[in-house]
Amino acid sequence: MKSTLKKLLPFAVVGVISGATTVGAIQYLGHTSNNGDQSFFTTSAPTATFAGMNTGAVGDDFVKAAKTTVPAVVTIKNYQSRTSSRASEQDLFDFFFGDPFGGRGQGQQRQKQQAPDNMPSGMGSGVIISPDGYIISNNHVVAGANKLEVVLSNKKSYIATLVGTDPNTDISLLKIEEKGLPYLNFANSDNIDVGQWVLAVGNPLGLNSTVTAGIVSAKGRGIGILGSQGKAANPIESFIQTDAAINPGNSGGALVNTNGELIGINSAIQSTTGYYQGYGFAVPANLARKIVEDIKKFGIVQRGFLGVQSLDLSNDQLVAAYNKQYKTNLKSGSGVYVTGFGDNSGAEDAGLKKGDIITKIDSYDITDFADLSMSIGSKRPGDKVQVTYSRNGKESTTSVTLRDQKGGTSTRTKADLSITEKIGAEFDPLNERFKTEYGLNSGVVAKNVSEGSEMAKIGIVDNYIIIEVNGKPVNSQKDVEKILDKYQGNVQVKFVDDYGRIYTKGFKMP
């Protein structure tokens, strides 16, 4: 009997490990790494292995992965000069980071307060992906910062440069000036399977270098958070879902396999309390890697678009609403139904029609919109994809050349951007009613202000009124473009907020 218990006990231990949160500070254990930076541009070989039910092997794999990962995961401290002017932005910030000053309460309106200059407004995590100091994190971890501090697991601190961000995938790229740093290799996230052991490593709730274990509980999850709570104009959500405990502060940290290879960037939790309730979500490594490579090489993300308006047939509620609105009789199922086309649509030019059901992109099965957004969102303008679709019950395949939102098929750099793209906002003329209400003789209304843009950094959000740029009155978008065309140096912007308060702030023209 005792012999039987001894054999069964290790299995119980494994069950406890996978189902509970493992919280602890893991010291820097003499980890060494290669000094080459090829890992930033190459995906490691698909050598991920499953942890078998041999408890000794599982324990060894967890320890090895933790030792490899912890030194490459950093704390990121976000310092801001002011609180957000939008409650939704601050609530999203707190949802992911936690509130360093306390005051979170269910069902209560928390009083907003400004962090002292020497205290961060929020803290998240990041992952070193090259020995020369490139760090990947989430967009929401760095949003609104006027200073970003990176703290390594050995407590060494650096001021980081923000290289670029992408709200559509919630990915950001930072850089610190250092060499010979420990870093993680990207794994091929397409090769992961539901049920695979994973570790989440980050700095949740102020607890540095915390490792939790679990499994991949689902793939290709779309939870609607980037579009509804973030500022993503064209969100890509195809998250890896895990039951490894992820809490506020884990954002931007590593999700790794048992070889210590990066398979995802932890980004979100689904919870009624704002804390771990069994579901965490990570951006797949393949998508994250493509985004940071674009930012590093081009300065901006190269996004290819299929050019279709669509309906997710796997969503019963959306299908029912569509049928009711358009008096149709579509049936729920697998695939994405084409409801129309955008301007300069590559899909329309390739022969797709309204009513077609997209079932596959290249060899990737399309069961829902998350699959479609992932398969296309990881491509660049000019890339060709094979689109398999069903029309009247007959399956066909056509080649589609992806385009950017302006219809282009080539990559662009920051130098190719328009003035409004460079500063991150568009502008509508201010109507006479507003001029009278605010006592103004000039002004334009900001719209489509991009997260992390120059305009956003100085506190401008949608519907703020821009009175002057570089001391000159503006009454149209053309006025703004004319003033800033070929301009280099500091830009001065005079604007009015929702309460009629007038500010003058500035930024360096990108």
Side-chain angles (χ1 to χ4, degrees), residues 117-169:
D117 290 340
N118 62 346
M119 180 176 284
S121 298
M123 293 185 288
S125 304
V127 183
I128 304 172
I129 55 174
S130 71
D132 58 344
Y134 281 99
I135 297 168
I136 188 173
S137 185
N138 289 137
N139 173 68
H140 72 259
V141 168
V142 303
N146 55 27
K147 184 176 77 171
L148 292 165
E149 182 184 1
V150 169
V151 183
L152 306 187
S153 63
N154 62 8
K155 308 305 180 185
K156 193 170 183 179
S157 176
Y158 304 81
I159 299 301
T161 299
L162 181 60
V163 182
T165 65
D166 180 37
N168 289 315
T169 55

Side-chain angles (χ1 to χ4, degrees), residues 360-387:
K360 187 177 290 186
I361 300 293
D362 294 329
S363 60
Y364 194 83
D365 290 332
I366 304 301
T367 61
D368 54 24
F369 185 77
D371 289 339
L372 182 64
S373 66
M374 177 66 180
S375 62
I376 298 298
S378 58
K379 306 290 186 181
R380 298 182 174 97
D383 287 350
K384 294 182 184 296
V385 295
Q386 299 299 311
V387 179

Side-chain angles (χ1 to χ4, degrees), residues 322-344:
Y322 185 88
N323 284 334
K324 183 177 180 180
Q325 181 176 356
Y326 295 101
K327 311 300 181 185
T328 55
N329 192 30
L330 297 177
K331 294 182 179 180
S332 301
S334 179
V336 173
Y337 180 84
V338 177
T339 62
F341 300 92
D343 296 334
N344 304 308

